[in-house]
Amino acid sequence: MGEVWIDAGDAAGAGALAGWLRRDPGMARSGVEIEAAGPTSSASPEAGGAMGAVETVTAVVNSTVGVFSLLIAVAAWRRPHGVTPPLVRVIEDDGTVVEGTAKEVLDTVRARREREQPEA
């Protein structure tokens, strides 16, 4: 599927989000790997590098289900933390970039998958 970059706003937010996602059993079941958060991550040059390294959480996702699970988890994390919807960038294996809030990206990815499904 590709990479997902999540802008958590600052280093503390990135660390909190990454830790929360790593502990989420749904992430493991969906095959989502949280690669980096905080100062150890870097912005993707392929995607324009707009997100700051200190505030970004990076995940490697191998399926559409994994993307959906991750985006739902990000949306669930931000609500009790009072965080504005973080900027999410999905970089698919074919180079397609989808960017927006978790909900916007989820809706866009879901619509793309529905269009790609062969009609019965």
Side-chain angles (χ1 to χ4, degrees), residues 38-61:
T40 59
S41 67
S42 60
S44 169
E46 296 82 13
M51 294 185 184
V54 172
E55 56 203 35
T56 304
V57 175
T58 306
V60 176
V61 184

Side-chain angles (χ1 to χ4, degrees), residues 8-109:
D10 58 27
L17 176 57
W20 191 82
L21 291 171
R22 286 184 179 118
R23 292 185 303 272
D24 185 296
M27 295 298 93
R29 282 193 304 272
S30 300
V32 175
E33 297 177 32
I34 305 304
E35 291 286 315
T40 59
S41 67
S42 60
S44 169
E46 296 82 13
M51 294 185 184
V54 172
E55 56 203 35
T56 304
V57 175
T58 306
V60 176
V61 184
N62 295 316
S63 69
T64 302
V65 171
V67 170
F68 293 158
S69 297
L70 178 62
L71 295 176
I72 290 167
V74 168
W77 171 80
R78 78 158 189 92
R79 280 187 215 111
H81 292 86
V83 175
T84 58
L87 179 66
V88 175
R89 179 181 294 140
V90 175
I91 306 167
E92 298 191 48
D93 288 337
D94 67 359
T96 301
V97 176
V98 181
E99 187 173 278
T101 66
K103 181 177 179 347
E104 292 167 345
V105 171
L106 181 62
D107 291 345
T108 301
V109 170

